[in-house]
Amino acid sequence: MGDSMYRDDMCALFKRLWPISRSITGKGVRQSLDIIGQVIPIEKLEFPSGSSCYDWTVPNEWNIECAYVKDSKGRVLIDFHDNNLHVVSYSVPVNKTVSRDELMKHLNTRPDLPDAIPYRTSYYTEDWGFCIEHNRLSEFVDDHYEVVIDSTLQKGSLTIGEGYIRGSSEEEIFLSCYMCHPSMANNELSGPVVMAAVCDELRKRPLRRFSYRYIFCPETIGSIVYLSKYHERMRQRVRAGIAIQMLGIDHNLIFRKTRQGNTIADRAVLNVLSRRQPDATLMDWSPMGGGDQRQYTSLGINLPVVLLCRALNGSYPEYHTSKDNLDIISMDRTEEAVSIILEIIDTIEGNAVFENLMPYCEPQLGKRGLYPNTGGTLASDITRHYIHLLGWSDGKADLIDISNKSGYSVVSLRKAADTLCEHDLLGLVERDVD
Amino acid sequence: MGDSMYRDDMCALFKRLWPISRSITGKGVRQSLDIIGQVIPIEKLEFPSGSSCYDWTVPNEWNIECAYVKDSKGRVLIDFHDNNLHVVSYSVPVNKTVSRDELMKHLNTRPDLPDAIPYRTSYYTEDWGFCIEHNRLSEFVDDHYEVVIDSTLQKGSLTIGEGYIRGSSEEEIFLSCYMCHPSMANNELSGPVVMAAVCDELRKRPLRRFSYRYIFCPETIGSIVYLSKYHERMRQRVRAGIAIQMLGIDHNLIFRKTRQGNTIADRAVLNVLSRRQPDATLMDWSPMGGGDQRQYTSLGINLPVVLLCRALNGSYPEYHTSKDNLDIISMDRTEEAVSIILEIIDTIEGNAVFENLMPYCEPQLGKRGLYPNTGGTLASDITRHYIHLLGWSDGKADLIDISNKSGYSVVSLRKAADTLCEHDLLGLVERDVD
Amino acid sequence: MGDSMYRDDMCALFKRLWPISRSITGKGVRQSLDIIGQVIPIEKLEFPSGSSCYDWTVPNEWNIECAYVKDSKGRVLIDFHDNNLHVVSYSVPVNKTVSRDELMKHLNTRPDLPDAIPYRTSYYTEDWGFCIEHNRLSEFVDDHYEVVIDSTLQKGSLTIGEGYIRGSSEEEIFLSCYMCHPSMANNELSGPVVMAAVCDELRKRPLRRFSYRYIFCPETIGSIVYLSKYHERMRQRVRAGIAIQMLGIDHNLIFRKTRQGNTIADRAVLNVLSRRQPDATLMDWSPMGGGDQRQYTSLGINLPVVLLCRALNGSYPEYHTSKDNLDIISMDRTEEAVSIILEIIDTIEGNAVFENLMPYCEPQLGKRGLYPNTGGTLASDITRHYIHLLGWSDGKADLIDISNKSGYSVVSLRKAADTLCEHDLLGLVERDVD
């Protein structure tokens, strides 16, 4: 990724990941992780089929080579190689001739979106099926069809990609995106692409206060199996987390809070959005439609993980169809997501509590060279930073509070606070971490 | 009353109660209770004149046979039998010839509403008077008039109608409406009519959690004398109460909270109105204009009784005049009031606290047949019920909370919760009652 | 000042104070205090140059006789006697010929407001300078200029004017305005003029509950030196304070809260503004731009002092220039400020907590002559006062609370409460003072 511009690299990543057939297990996931692993360090964690994780069990590993439906004249009506959405994910192997009636029971279409191929799965019930454009049903006039799905569903493992960037503290900021869908762009490639750009930027920076852990996992079952193994460590270390998904379309950000609603993660996001995107949609926590945030914030887990996205399940017409392709991706919006997520992280990093060491009336800034000599003019921006910091720093308010009050970013307030510390006007309390 | 439709029966009740001359005591009240007693069980409680009740004393009983004013030619200018509003309620007996000047001192009109007969009372000061249309003052051209009021004001009793529907608990839901006005429709007959329909429906239902007590009492003095006798029992048993009045005109509901503002009564009403009538007027508690709610929620009494109505004192032009007649009653609105009050009661009945028994990540609903086998489609309504219940049931949130968050009614959530209980995914905590 | 009308007297005061050359020290301040001292009692407090006050030091006393700039033909281009804004406040003595280049370094203009003389100061850095209209720079065509500033900057003292009106309690209401600017009208003469009218009215009234202390001080350094000497006494006695400034222009009031935001001062202001000026601007506390409120509410001082004004620093175009003159003053607005400040003070004076002595249902007001004999009409204003007082007086709510609920002023509620006390229906708890 470029040092200051992630755009070209993100474009390239979108294009390389696009054609791969992914599901919640299998070679497609590992192949995708290998590609992302060329951008940021990733270790593959493998969880064997049959492993128990809370109320769930890791399913068998599914892989597919090809699949097609031919009519009685041998004409190929559906071909997996044309579009990997054509096959219901986790379809068991099939090789037989079926009647039109039976075929129809296994064909999924979207009558409301007749030229789109829907996306369907059957992870936990053994079945097979195809998905096609509703418009094309009229092509199926024969009485019998040859149906082939050359797939395997057997013991193997579920794969999660994980990376770690060490900071000065063991406390972690946790980033998660899911990666288990075949060729769809906003949901889901925008998640892994944005996450790769964010993490690439983070690892290039000088030593930071927090350590960072990021995972690419299959949705739902992936975060559940990860939590079942690492929940205790996460409970101890994760100070803030962001679940990242559906960030590529031209829509303002949607932010869903943690269950508590006032963790440092929530406060940092609200603070940054109030300046960067005041029209963003702010949602209280809800158990509906939050991707893996649902697992991270389930009652017994309850980690401080927020959700950032530009769409919820079904909130844009192309959702879960072949129309969710690279054409609906806005690179401006994708880049904006990276930039805002980085500022959220910088806000958590820079946040601290200070105490005014000269609290009786204002200190005389002028004699320290921190105030203009000539009076009568309006206060400059830097002077306003000083006055806000001195006025609010009661040993309890943190920089996020002061940013909310003053409108200045935590990053710029932190610089000014460090100057005031050098002049012994402020002292660092840093009550908010450790 | 009909099983599924209260409308015709309410119409009939309006018409039968309409002509009766009621006041805060007397035969008119008892006659009205007899009519309502044909619909729902009612016992008459009699409180003797002179009984002390807090700062008040039960007044003498007032009854009236007839009353008229004749001019010197013997022409009847005012006749009680034309409209029982013509006589000031509690007028002492009169039988004499008076000068025009003296008569005028005893005539009440509404110059701002010149073709309406105003409603006036003199319960606690011995006096007599007539009420007529302001327009008709010009007919009084003679020098002298014969004035007759054939009334009695003597020891007797004040009558309150009370009914009780036993539930499985002694805890009560208390319903109150006042009945002490002569022929006026919205204020007041709509109150007793709606109450009769609600109670008739409640007593036909299978055994319920709460017991129900309902009273029809004269306004102010009635609720005061009732409280002075039964306050301690009410303090122990009344879990929620609704004061019902002025529900017949074509206006959205007005809801006034209890003094505390967050009792189960308040929460149930707010919850139901948020779905059934989001444009309803929500008012914080106030000591002004709340009918008998004023007494139930006075400082020393402070019962959890809310007010439901469609008008406040004076908020519609026909208020307290002969124009408040059956023509201004909307049977759609009257019926809507019954239906909403019943849903409020069902909400209190159905409310409970549950606890998610499998709180680590989501449980796998699919293997229990509670989730569709094919993935990729949007969650159905019933699935959403399950996910909300599991997500919010932390052993503290009750179904009203979850209804407020999810938008689903307490009644439908309760059904889904019972299903999850059968699958051992939820457990009933029921912290909120007993 | 007139008994019922302050307007003429305020006009006269504006005009007498206008021409005087004031700064943070010097004869101009004392002369201004002498003029105000003819309206209300004022004692001059003198704080010697060099006195230490928290982080600051009282500067030398500055006085100026005359100042001018002449060109090489002896033509006077700038003359202090034309407008005392022409000289930078605290300019050191100068008497020399300077090149055009050097002169230009000492000339201040406002290019954005080319026909206005800006106001500039150099209190804490020894320097000299002139201020002129930007338009006039073109007149400076000569190579050399004679520059004379006949000022003195030497040991002396800083002067604060203070007055005291004794009430029945030692608890104080504190009023503060600053007086240190040369000829500018809204900022600042409107402050001292409004304060004089308010204090003149207060001292004419009968004995009050609170004592009143008011000061006229140079901005910032004045309140700092005053606090450094009297902070402990103020901490013990000041129950509420108002910093008064910039009240003369035609703009709604701006109210800035104390740091706590809910002191009796805040509550009284909010209560009065909600009725008198609902469109006023309400601001939470902030350390920016609050005149002397900044010092009174600094972290270590934290007195309950609110800010009332009609403008903030720089919020009107004439701010800190020669255009802030008497032409932009609205006497209607100046008078309104006096009237609202007096009602705020009356609200604090009249506020108290009562307890309903007959809390079981409503007391029967009629038998005490407090309720009309004829029923059926709407409640009158005075009846509503009684009902609100009885309904809300739980021994905790004070009259400001009841005013906020009922919409009636504290002053009129207090009168009604006193009547109810005479009838033993209310008892004074007065928990809110002492």
Side-chain angles (χ1 to χ4, degrees):
Chain A
M1 298 246 155
D3 236 352
S4 57
M5 261 291 294
Y6 342 102
R7 188 174 191 129
D8 293 345
D9 302 285
M10 290 198 296
C11 268
L13 201 50
F14 262 123
K15 282 174 190 155
R16 290 184 67 193
L17 292 171
W18 174 256
I20 299 169
S21 173
R22 280 167 295 269
S23 183
I24 54 174
T25 58
K27 290 183 288 184
V29 172
R30 295 189 193 99
Q31 195 178 342
S32 301
L33 289 173
D34 287 339
I35 291 170
I36 298 169
Q38 293 167 22
V39 178
I40 53 171
I42 286 191
E43 182 187 355
K44 288 194 200 85
L45 310 177
E46 300 286 351
F47 299 85
S49 304
S51 308
S52 176
C53 42
Y54 301 127
D55 192 43
W56 302 65
T57 304
V58 174
N60 280 339
E61 179 172 330
W62 184 70
N63 285 290
I64 180 166
E65 291 304 319
C66 70
Y68 56 83
V69 173
K70 289 186 183 166
D71 66 10
S72 54
K73 292 172 204 79
R75 213 173 22 146
V76 177
L77 292 177
I78 310 174
D79 187 346
F80 172 72
H81 292 304
D82 289 344
N83 191 317
N84 53 33
L85 294 179
H86 275 319
V87 176
V88 171
S89 196
Y90 262 67
S91 284
V92 294
V94 180
N95 190 336
K96 58 179 170 182
T97 299
V98 299
S99 69
R100 190 179 179 281
D101 274 4
E102 192 184 346
L103 177 62
M104 285 301 133
K105 288 181 195 148
H106 292 267
L107 273 194
N108 299 279
T109 69
R110 280 278 296 268
D112 60 321
L113 216 66
D115 57 345
I117 308 165
Y119 165 59
R120 292 290 177 267
T121 68
S122 187
Y123 300 141
Y124 302 103
T125 308
E126 295 212 348
D127 200 355
W128 61 269
F130 287 86
C131 303
I132 62 160
E133 299 89 341
H134 191 74
N135 279 343
R136 290 191 48 218
L137 280 181
S138 55
E139 301 173 23
F140 292 73
V141 293
D142 280 8
D143 286 342
H144 290 87
Y145 298 85
E146 184 192 350
V147 175
V148 171
I149 298 182
D150 179 10
S151 66
T152 58
L153 181 58
Q154 52 202 31
K155 291 278 174 206
S157 63
L158 177 153
T159 312
I160 293 176
E162 187 193 52
Y164 185 71
I165 305 168
R166 188 174 302 280
S168 60
S169 157
E170 278 206 331
E171 290 206 302
E172 290 179 12
I173 292 179
F174 174 72
L175 304 171
S176 171
C177 70
Y178 53 78
M179 197 170 68
C180 56
H181 292 61
S183 300
M184 286 180 292
N186 182 51
N187 183 30
E188 69 185 16
L189 287 182
S190 66
V193 166
V194 165
M195 180 117 122
V198 166
C199 295
D200 184 46
E201 188 60 26
L202 289 172
R203 79 191 176 95
K204 289 175 181 163
R205 297 194 178 185
L207 185 73
R208 317 213 87 195
R209 186 161 76 164
F210 292 103
S211 297
Y212 291 81
R213 192 178 300 270
Y214 47 90
I215 69 169
F216 300 75
C217 66
E219 197 177 359
T220 306
I221 184 67
S223 47
I224 290 173
V225 72
Y226 189 85
L227 281 164
S228 75
K229 182 133 185 201
Y230 298 115
H231 176 214
E232 183 52 28
R233 183 190 72 201
M234 294 175 81
R235 204 186 56 71
Q236 289 173 24
R237 297 196 187 169
V238 172
R239 188 67 200 285
I242 312 178
I244 288 171
Q245 64 193 51
M246 300 198 234
L247 286 161
I249 56 172
D250 184 18
H251 188 286
N252 275 342
L253 286 166
I254 299 173
F255 163 55
R256 179 168 281 164
K257 296 181 188 176
T258 66
R259 185 180 284 272
Q260 297 90 321
N262 61 352
T263 68
I264 187 77
D266 299 285
R267 297 176 62 236
V269 175
L270 288 171
N271 173 267
V272 171
L273 291 181
S274 73
R275 278 173 291 105
R276 297 284 303 270
Q277 194 155 105
D279 292 335
T281 302
L282 312 180
M283 306 181 82
D284 283 335
W285 185 85
S286 159
M288 279 303 306
D292 290 317
Q293 193 208 22
R294 284 163 68 171
Q295 313 310 329
Y296 298 130
T297 61
S298 59
L299 270 166
I301 304 293
N302 203 12
L303 290 168
V305 176
V306 301
L307 171 70
L308 268 185
C309 55
R310 297 190 187 279
L312 298 173
N313 293 354
S315 74
Y316 62 106
E318 300 87 353
Y319 176 80
H320 271 190
T321 73
S322 56
K323 289 179 169 294
D324 185 348
N325 58 39
L326 294 175
D327 293 345
I328 70 169
I329 295 296
S330 156
M331 287 313 295
D332 285 349
R333 289 301 209 167
T334 307
E335 213 176 325
E336 181 196 63
V338 174
S339 162
I340 286 179
I341 291 169
L342 285 169
E343 184 170 347
I344 291 164
I345 290 169
D346 288 341
T347 296
I348 299 174
E349 284 277 345
N351 190 40
V353 175
F354 294 89
E355 187 170 8
N356 181 337
L357 301 179
M358 209 162 274
Y360 294 95
C361 300
E362 294 179 10
Q364 194 178 0
L365 295 176
K367 70 185 184 189
R368 295 173 177 86
L370 302 175
Y371 201 84
N373 291 330
T374 303
T377 55
L378 293 178
S380 67
D381 248 21
I382 181 64
T383 300
R384 287 167 185 265
H385 277 73
Y386 296 145
I387 292 176
H388 276 291
L389 284 162
L390 290 164
W392 293 112
S393 290
D394 57 359
K396 287 177 221 146
D398 63 13
L399 292 188
I400 293 178
D401 291 324
I402 301 177
S403 172
N404 290 337
K405 301 284 193 184
S406 67
Y408 294 116
S409 75
V410 167
V411 172
S412 70
L413 283 168
R414 181 60 189 258
K415 277 185 204 146
D418 290 343
T419 301
L420 291 175
C421 284
E422 288 163 20
H423 287 274
D424 293 325
L425 293 174
L426 280 191
L428 183 64
V429 175
E430 199 152 21
R431 223 192 34 153
D432 77 322
V433 213
D434 294 279
Chain B
M1 299 249 154
D3 234 351
S4 56
M5 260 290 296
Y6 343 102
R7 188 175 192 129
D8 292 345
D9 302 286
M10 291 198 296
C11 269
L13 200 51
F14 262 122
K15 283 175 189 154
R16 290 185 66 192
L17 293 171
W18 173 256
I20 300 170
S21 172
R22 283 167 294 268
S23 182
I24 55 173
T25 60
K27 290 183 289 185
V29 172
R30 295 189 194 99
Q31 197 179 338
S32 302
L33 289 173
D34 287 339
I35 291 169
I36 298 169
Q38 294 166 22
V39 178
I40 51 171
I42 286 191
E43 181 186 358
K44 290 194 199 83
L45 310 177
E46 300 285 351
F47 300 85
S49 305
S51 308
S52 177
C53 44
Y54 300 128
D55 193 42
W56 302 66
T57 304
V58 174
N60 280 339
E61 179 173 330
W62 183 70
N63 285 289
I64 180 165
E65 291 304 320
C66 70
Y68 57 84
V69 173
K70 289 186 183 165
D71 67 10
S72 52
K73 293 173 203 77
R75 211 171 25 143
V76 177
L77 292 177
I78 309 177
D79 188 346
F80 172 72
H81 291 304
D82 289 344
N83 191 317
N84 54 30
L85 293 179
H86 275 318
V87 175
V88 170
S89 195
Y90 263 67
S91 283
V92 294
V94 180
N95 189 340
K96 59 179 170 183
T97 299
V98 300
S99 70
R100 189 179 180 282
D101 274 4
E102 193 183 346
L103 178 63
M104 285 300 135
K105 288 182 197 149
H106 291 268
L107 274 193
N108 298 279
T109 69
R110 280 277 298 267
D112 60 321
L113 217 64
D115 57 346
I117 308 166
Y119 165 59
R120 291 291 178 266
T121 68
S122 188
Y123 301 139
Y124 301 103
T125 309
E126 295 211 348
D127 201 355
W128 61 269
F130 288 86
C131 302
I132 60 159
E133 299 88 341
H134 191 74
N135 279 343
R136 291 192 46 216
L137 279 181
S138 56
E139 300 173 23
F140 292 74
V141 293
D142 280 8
D143 286 343
H144 290 86
Y145 299 86
E146 184 192 350
V147 174
V148 170
I149 298 182
D150 180 8
S151 66
T152 58
L153 182 58
Q154 51 202 28
K155 291 277 175 207
S157 61
L158 176 152
T159 312
I160 293 176
E162 187 193 53
Y164 185 70
I165 304 168
R166 188 175 301 280
S168 59
S169 156
E170 278 205 331
E171 292 207 299
E172 291 179 12
I173 293 179
F174 175 72
L175 303 171
S176 171
C177 69
Y178 53 79
M179 197 170 69
C180 56
H181 292 61
S183 300
M184 286 180 292
N186 183 51
N187 183 30
E188 72 185 14
L189 287 182
S190 67
V193 166
V194 165
M195 181 116 120
V198 166
C199 295
D200 184 46
E201 188 60 26
L202 288 173
R203 78 190 175 96
K204 289 175 181 164
R205 298 195 177 185
L207 185 73
R208 318 212 87 197
R209 187 160 78 164
F210 293 103
S211 297
Y212 291 81
R213 192 178 300 271
Y214 48 90
I215 69 169
F216 300 75
C217 66
E219 197 177 359
T220 305
I221 184 66
S223 48
I224 290 173
V225 72
Y226 189 85
L227 281 164
S228 76
K229 183 133 185 201
Y230 298 114
H231 175 213
E232 183 53 26
R233 183 190 71 199
M234 295 175 81
R235 203 185 57 70
Q236 288 172 24
R237 297 195 187 170
V238 173
R239 186 68 199 285
I242 311 178
I244 287 171
Q245 64 192 51
M246 300 199 233
L247 286 162
I249 55 173
D250 185 18
H251 189 284
N252 274 342
L253 286 165
I254 298 173
F255 162 56
R256 180 168 281 164
K257 296 181 187 176
T258 66
R259 187 181 283 272
Q260 297 89 319
N262 61 353
T263 69
I264 186 78
D266 299 284
R267 296 176 62 235
V269 176
L270 289 171
N271 173 265
V272 171
L273 291 181
S274 73
R275 278 174 290 106
R276 296 284 302 269
Q277 195 155 104
D279 291 336
T281 302
L282 312 180
M283 306 181 81
D284 282 336
W285 185 86
S286 158
M288 278 303 306
D292 290 317
Q293 193 207 24
R294 283 162 68 170
Q295 313 310 328
Y296 298 128
T297 61
S298 60
L299 270 167
I301 304 294
N302 203 13
L303 291 168
V305 176
V306 300
L307 172 69
L308 267 186
C309 55
R310 297 191 188 279
L312 298 173
N313 294 354
S315 73
Y316 61 107
E318 301 88 353
Y319 176 80
H320 272 192
T321 73
S322 56
K323 291 181 168 294
D324 185 349
N325 57 39
L326 294 176
D327 293 344
I328 70 169
I329 295 297
S330 156
M331 287 313 294
D332 285 348
R333 288 302 208 168
T334 307
E335 213 176 325
E336 179 196 64
V338 174
S339 161
I340 286 179
I341 291 168
L342 285 170
E343 183 169 348
I344 291 165
I345 289 170
D346 288 340
T347 296
I348 299 174
E349 283 277 346
N351 190 39
V353 175
F354 293 89
E355 186 169 8
N356 181 337
L357 300 180
M358 209 161 276
Y360 294 95
C361 299
E362 295 179 11
Q364 194 179 359
L365 295 175
K367 70 184 184 191
R368 295 172 178 87
L370 302 175
Y371 201 84
N373 291 330
T374 303
T377 56
L378 291 179
S380 67
D381 248 21
I382 181 65
T383 300
R384 286 167 186 266
H385 277 74
Y386 297 145
I387 292 176
H388 276 292
L389 284 162
L390 291 165
W392 293 113
S393 290
D394 58 358
K396 288 178 219 147
D398 63 13
L399 292 188
I400 294 178
D401 291 323
I402 301 176
S403 172
N404 291 337
K405 301 284 192 182
S406 68
Y408 295 116
S409 75
V410 166
V411 172
S412 70
L413 283 168
R414 182 60 189 259
K415 277 184 205 146
D418 290 343
T419 301
L420 291 176
C421 284
E422 288 163 20
H423 287 275
D424 293 326
L425 293 175
L426 280 191
L428 183 64
V429 176
E430 199 153 22
R431 223 190 37 151
D432 78 320
V433 214
D434 295 277
Chain C
M1 298 246 157
D3 237 351
S4 57
M5 262 288 296
Y6 343 101
R7 186 175 192 126
D8 292 346
D9 301 286
M10 290 198 295
C11 268
L13 200 52
F14 261 122
K15 282 176 190 153
R16 290 184 67 193
L17 293 170
W18 173 256
I20 299 169
S21 171
R22 282 168 294 269
S23 183
I24 54 174
T25 59
K27 291 184 288 185
V29 173
R30 295 189 192 97
Q31 197 179 337
S32 302
L33 289 173
D34 287 340
I35 291 169
I36 298 170
Q38 293 167 21
V39 178
I40 52 171
I42 287 191
E43 182 187 356
K44 289 193 201 82
L45 310 178
E46 300 285 352
F47 299 85
S49 305
S51 308
S52 177
C53 42
Y54 300 126
D55 193 42
W56 301 66
T57 304
V58 175
N60 280 339
E61 179 173 330
W62 183 69
N63 284 290
I64 180 166
E65 290 304 319
C66 70
Y68 58 82
V69 173
K70 289 186 184 165
D71 67 10
S72 53
K73 292 172 204 77
R75 212 171 25 142
V76 177
L77 291 178
I78 309 176
D79 188 346
F80 172 72
H81 291 304
D82 289 345
N83 191 317
N84 53 33
L85 294 179
H86 274 319
V87 176
V88 170
S89 194
Y90 262 67
S91 282
V92 295
V94 180
N95 189 339
K96 58 179 170 183
T97 299
V98 299
S99 70
R100 189 178 180 283
D101 275 3
E102 192 183 346
L103 177 61
M104 285 301 134
K105 288 182 196 148
H106 291 267
L107 273 193
N108 299 279
T109 70
R110 282 276 297 267
D112 60 322
L113 218 64
D115 57 344
I117 309 165
Y119 166 58
R120 291 288 177 268
T121 69
S122 188
Y123 300 141
Y124 302 103
T125 308
E126 296 212 347
D127 199 354
W128 63 269
F130 288 87
C131 302
I132 62 160
E133 300 88 341
H134 191 74
N135 279 343
R136 291 191 47 218
L137 279 181
S138 55
E139 298 174 24
F140 292 74
V141 293
D142 280 8
D143 286 343
H144 290 86
Y145 299 86
E146 184 192 349
V147 175
V148 171
I149 298 182
D150 180 8
S151 66
T152 58
L153 182 58
Q154 52 202 28
K155 292 274 175 208
S157 62
L158 177 153
T159 311
I160 293 176
E162 188 195 51
Y164 186 71
I165 305 168
R166 188 174 302 279
S168 60
S169 156
E170 278 206 331
E171 290 207 302
E172 292 179 10
I173 292 178
F174 175 72
L175 303 171
S176 171
C177 70
Y178 53 79
M179 197 170 67
C180 56
H181 292 61
S183 300
M184 286 179 291
N186 183 52
N187 182 29
E188 70 184 14
L189 286 181
S190 66
V193 166
V194 165
M195 181 117 122
V198 165
C199 295
D200 184 46
E201 188 61 25
L202 288 174
R203 79 192 175 94
K204 289 175 181 164
R205 298 196 177 182
L207 186 72
R208 317 212 88 197
R209 187 160 77 162
F210 293 102
S211 296
Y212 291 81
R213 191 178 301 270
Y214 47 90
I215 70 169
F216 300 76
C217 67
E219 195 177 0
T220 306
I221 183 66
S223 47
I224 290 172
V225 72
Y226 188 85
L227 281 165
S228 75
K229 184 133 185 200
Y230 298 114
H231 175 213
E232 183 52 27
R233 183 188 72 200
M234 295 175 80
R235 203 185 56 73
Q236 289 173 24
R237 297 196 187 170
V238 172
R239 187 68 199 285
I242 312 179
I244 287 171
Q245 64 194 50
M246 301 197 234
L247 287 161
I249 55 172
D250 184 19
H251 189 285
N252 275 342
L253 285 166
I254 298 173
F255 162 56
R256 178 169 283 165
K257 296 181 187 176
T258 66
R259 186 182 285 272
Q260 297 89 319
N262 61 353
T263 69
I264 185 78
D266 299 284
R267 296 177 61 235
V269 176
L270 288 171
N271 174 265
V272 172
L273 291 181
S274 73
R275 277 173 291 104
R276 297 283 303 270
Q277 193 155 104
D279 291 336
T281 302
L282 312 180
M283 306 180 81
D284 283 335
W285 185 85
S286 158
M288 278 305 305
D292 290 317
Q293 192 207 22
R294 282 163 67 170
Q295 313 310 328
Y296 298 129
T297 61
S298 60
L299 270 167
I301 304 293
N302 203 12
L303 290 168
V305 177
V306 301
L307 172 70
L308 268 185
C309 55
R310 296 190 188 280
L312 297 173
N313 294 354
S315 73
Y316 61 106
E318 301 88 352
Y319 175 78
H320 272 192
T321 74
S322 56
K323 290 181 169 294
D324 185 348
N325 58 39
L326 294 175
D327 293 344
I328 69 167
I329 295 296
S330 156
M331 287 313 294
D332 285 348
R333 288 302 207 167
T334 307
E335 214 176 324
E336 180 195 64
V338 174
S339 162
I340 285 179
I341 291 169
L342 285 169
E343 183 169 348
I344 291 164
I345 290 169
D346 288 341
T347 296
I348 298 173
E349 283 277 346
N351 190 40
V353 174
F354 294 90
E355 188 170 7
N356 181 337
L357 301 179
M358 209 160 277
Y360 293 95
C361 299
E362 294 180 11
Q364 194 179 359
L365 294 175
K367 70 185 184 189
R368 296 173 176 85
L370 302 175
Y371 201 84
N373 292 330
T374 303
T377 55
L378 292 179
S380 67
D381 248 21
I382 181 65
T383 299
R384 286 166 185 267
H385 277 75
Y386 296 145
I387 291 175
H388 277 292
L389 284 162
L390 290 165
W392 293 113
S393 290
D394 58 358
K396 286 177 220 148
D398 64 12
L399 292 188
I400 293 178
D401 291 324
I402 301 176
S403 171
N404 290 337
K405 300 284 192 184
S406 68
Y408 295 116
S409 76
V410 167
V411 171
S412 69
L413 284 168
R414 182 59 189 258
K415 277 184 204 146
D418 290 343
T419 300
L420 291 177
C421 285
E422 288 164 20
H423 287 274
D424 293 326
L425 293 175
L426 280 192
L428 183 64
V429 175
E430 199 151 24
R431 223 192 33 149
D432 79 320
V433 213
D434 295 277

